[in-house]
Amino acid sequence: MSADSLDLYETQRRTLTVLVNEYQQRDSPVNSSVLAERMDRTPGTIRNKMPQLESLGLVEGVAGPTGGYEPTEKAFQVLDRDPDTERESVTVAHDFERVDATVESVSFTNVNHPSDCRAWVEFQTAMPSIEVGDPVAIGPTAQAGLVVAGEVHTTNDTGNRISLTISRMEAPVTDD
């Protein structure tokens, strides 16, 4: 089974994503306490999940007082990430406060519907303060300068993915 076709449960993918993000920020092993804090879980829960990811060749355990877990090259492939590329953070406005967050992706659904345009927004880290019904604005994105604003329609249980009912989208006009 190739890394591209490896199907992970959502919790496995989320754990791996948080590990990769933390590892890229610090360039050293990430312990279970840090991962647990980022995912709003207990360190024991994280330690119980790691053998699954290790058996898939996605994580390596590092022993010792400064040990923890490191993602393998295969982990970066599964997440379709370049280990040498840093991600741009995108401004997220929530409750009139700006928050710098790294957005993994914005995927538009039913954009052709005349009155109901939605988008899935996936963040690299959990955004637990964002709840259904909250107004949110995201952007401008690094490359396209896109700004998306709307109301949170749904969130996932790990807090890193929201569905927005879009009320407004803006992109800069270019003279190409």
Side-chain angles (χ1 to χ4, degrees), residues 10-118:
E10 184 174 340
T11 57
Q12 291 174 318
R13 181 169 293 279
R14 176 77 185 119
T15 303
L16 191 60
T17 300
V18 172
L19 173 63
V20 166
N21 295 342
E22 289 296 320
Y23 180 78
Q24 283 188 302
Q25 287 180 6
R26 60 182 75 212
D27 199 25
S28 64
V30 183
N31 68 39
S32 58
S33 296
V34 170
L35 294 170
E37 181 182 323
R38 300 294 183 271
M39 297 180 66
D40 196 26
R41 303 286 188 257
T42 66
T45 300
I46 300 301
R47 285 190 295 272
N48 288 339
K49 290 187 182 304
M50 287 304 172
Q52 298 167 348
L53 296 174
E54 285 179 307
S55 71
L56 293 170
L58 301 171
V59 172
E60 292 178 353
V62 178
T66 60
Y69 304 96
E70 291 183 340
T72 63
E73 187 173 319
K74 185 177 177 182
F76 286 93
Q77 292 170 354
V78 165
L79 296 176
D80 195 26
R81 302 261 295 268
D82 182 348
D84 299 322
T85 302
E86 290 190 23
R87 299 285 176 130
E88 286 275 337
S89 86
V90 175
T91 300
V92 177
H94 169 247
D95 284 340
F96 303 103
E97 292 184 26
R98 292 182 180 268
V99 179
D100 284 333
T102 303
V103 175
E104 270 300 311
S105 64
V106 177
S107 305
F108 293 96
T109 60
N110 67 342
V111 291
N112 293 325
H113 193 281
S115 63
D116 187 25
C117 178
R118 291 212 179 112

